[in-house]
Every structure is written in C-alpha cells, then in structure tokens.
Amino acid sequence: MRINVFPALNGDCILVEYVASHYILIDGGYVNTYNNYLLPKLVEIANNGGTVDVVVVTHIDEDHISGIIKLLEEDVFPISIKEIWYNGYKHVQSVAIVSEEDEIFAHKNICKETNVINPKSISAKQGCTLSTLIARKGLLWNSPTKGNTMKGLISYSLGDATIHILSPNNDDISNVELFWKKRLIKDGLLSKAHSNEYWDDAFEFCLSKEKPGFHFHKKKVSKSYDLIKIKEEAYVPDDSATNGSSIAFVLEVEGKRILFLGDAHAETIVESLITLYGEKNAPFRFDAVKLSHHGSFNNNSPKLLEIITCDNWLISTNGDKYDHPDLPTLAHIITNENNNAPKLYFNYNLTVSKELMKQEYHKDNNFEIICPDDDGITITL
C-alpha cells in the first residue's frame, strides 16, 4: 500500500494505492493542488492502467473540495473514476418551496459571487457546485448506502479491501441540518420548499463559510517546550457542524489497517471505534493515522489518542490560517507509551516540525520527524 499526501496548503489531498493500480482519492485540496500535483499524478497512473475506484469528498470546505470540483469540471476525466462518496444538499434537507425570485435571492445572497483573487479560489462562485457536477457527470454516488447519506457505522467491501465508515453519525448530520435551517430562517425561506441546483449551490457555499468551531492555539515554538506539560492543556472539542459532517473511515486491506479522519469530531470517532472493535480490545492498532483537521487539538482528543496505537502519523497542512498542527496533539502522540517510536510525517516543512527535530526533545522521548520532498510525502506500508 502506498499513501501520497500532496502539498494542499492548509487542506487535504490524499491518494491511496490500496492494491496495485487501484486507488482511493481523499479530497482534492485547492485548485493549485490539483493543477500542480494531483492532475499529473492521475495522468501518470492512467497511462499505467490504473483507476480511481472511489473519490471520497470528506465534507464541504474549500480546502477539501476545490480540487475535486476542478477535476469534475474537466470535459474528459484524466483517469477512470468508478464512484464518489460525498454528502451534499440532497442528503441533508430542510423542506422549502421557493419561487424563481426567491431562488435568485438565495443564489445571490447565500451563494454570493466573488472575484478570483488568488490561486486558492476555484471559480467565481467559490466552489459551490460540487453536487451539480456529480449529477451532471452521472457518477455513481454514495453506492454503499444506495445513494443515501454516508454515515457510520457501516462496513463496505471494495474489491479486496474493507472500509468501515466511522463518521458522521446521526447527531452530526442533524447538526448540519440545524445549521442550514438557521440560515434559511435568517433569510425567511424555511417555510418555502427547495429546488435543486440553486439550493445545492447555496447549501455548499453556506457550509464552506461556517466560522471555525475550535479554539485557536496561539503559540511560539521554542526549545523550552516541555511535552509532558504541554499535553496537560485542557481539551475543548470542536463544535463546527461542517467538520462534524466529515466522512472518516478505516481502510483494511492485506493485513493493514489505516485510519483516515478528515476533519471529524473526536467524540464520534471514539464512539465508532469502540463499537467496531470492542472497548476491551483498546488500544486499537493502526498501521497509519491521518490526523483529524490538520492536527488540531480540538479534533484529536486525549481520549482518541489514548485508544489508538500507531507508529505512523500523517499531518496535512502548511500551518497557514490556524497554525496547525497543535502542539498538545503532537505531545500526546509522542509521549504515549502505546506508540513504539512513532514517526510523524509532515507534508510541509513547518516551524514546529523543525523544532521537534532538535536533540533536546529526544532525550526522554523516542520519535522521528519525517520531512517532505517537493511533492509532499509518500509512505509505503
């Protein structure tokens, strides 16, 4: 198995070759991630006879969906894509009927058009057309649930692999619906019924612009950091409805077990893992873990990190915007006795990764920092 974590700025774009020539694509980062890294790789794979069996769009957020939208906008896909997993508006609906005038209102006021001013932007509408593109392209959509909402806990066979969907759960989906209803109430549209394309756009735009539901860990990296003391910081869970809707899953294939957490809430993951594997069997062994929400401590709780044992930890972020990953997250991983000389893989050279390479941190803790090359990081299991 080979896992590529591409440079995706503060987002995610992960390509997994789970068996030879068969791939799972998890999110697409921003447009420049697609153009500079993902597209050339997909062309190379296609030329060698490979296919993307599943595209997993974990949730509605610019740093996850923008590159996927760019991929689906192609007249001809650069590679064969068999199916897509993504929870769009039709999977989380509020009843509303609107006139053409109200549709125009929703499109212009909820899904406001903006000018493209930087490479992160994906289009004049900031990436609120993913559902429409999936429908137009006729892609097989959420096949494990027969087109319904992808949510845990379910297990699904994908060739020789098994995928266990851990998140979102029913409560997470309800929170997204509540968030959307509040926006409709604000604009006086809740008592009216929805139509399709306008509301796909408005729904996606609304969620992609949700304010962060996590604590900003303002910090300065210094060699004076005490990892034991840092891990004592109080945990405050993320309450973002959008992040809570993130599709997170376990991939099991050829005796390997990988945990891909998207931006999911730690509480949902803990509940699903205990249900899936049995609390008495904790800590649960994984061959690799992609940390939730770029290593945010609000999405990687002490409880979650306590019930996992793993030697390979993947961190996808350039540290922009919210200064992820958070040191308490890394401190819990490094000092956890369940982890045997853990390796922390970064897809960007960050101040914190460089700091943790200093010998002072390794006197009492056995761990390794793996820095990226120009194309991000690749690990083979």
Side-chain angles (χ1 to χ4, degrees), residues 220-273:
K220 295 180 181 179
V221 174
S222 164
K223 66 181 180 181
S224 65
Y225 280 141
D226 181 335
L227 295 179
I228 298 298
K229 184 175 181 180
I230 289 171
K231 67 182 287 187
E232 295 174 353
E233 179 172 328
Y235 167 71
V236 179
D238 180 6
D239 63 1
S240 160
T242 303
N243 287 342
S245 71
S246 184
I247 297 173
F249 62 94
V250 177
L251 171 64
E252 295 180 350
V253 61
E254 297 180 343
K256 304 295 184 182
R257 183 188 287 174
I258 320 298
L259 183 57
F260 294 101
L261 292 176
D263 284 4
H265 289 169
E267 291 68 32
T268 299
I269 302 301
V270 168
E271 179 182 352
S272 292
L273 287 176

Side-chain angles (χ1 to χ4, degrees), residues 293-362:
H293 200 200
H294 322 292
S296 167
F297 188 44
N298 306 96
N299 299 78
N300 297 277
S301 68
K303 176 64 174 178
L304 174 59
L305 299 175
E306 176 187 307
I307 66 171
I308 292 174
T309 174
C310 181
D311 299 336
N312 301 293
W313 300 80
L314 312 180
I315 301 158
S316 176
T317 184
N318 67 350
D320 188 25
K321 200 170 184 179
Y322 299 114
D323 206 14
H324 293 145
D326 292 326
L327 275 170
T329 303
L330 307 184
H332 276 276
I333 293 169
I334 292 168
T335 61
N336 187 345
E337 295 181 355
N338 292 326
N339 300 326
N340 180 27
K343 297 180 177 66
L344 278 65
Y345 293 81
F346 293 79
N347 67 336
Y348 282 91
N349 286 297
L350 304 180
T351 303
V352 65
S353 62
K354 294 175 183 177
E355 177 66 22
L356 287 172
M357 293 179 72
K358 294 181 178 179
Q359 189 58 41
E360 291 88 339
Y361 293 95
H362 296 260

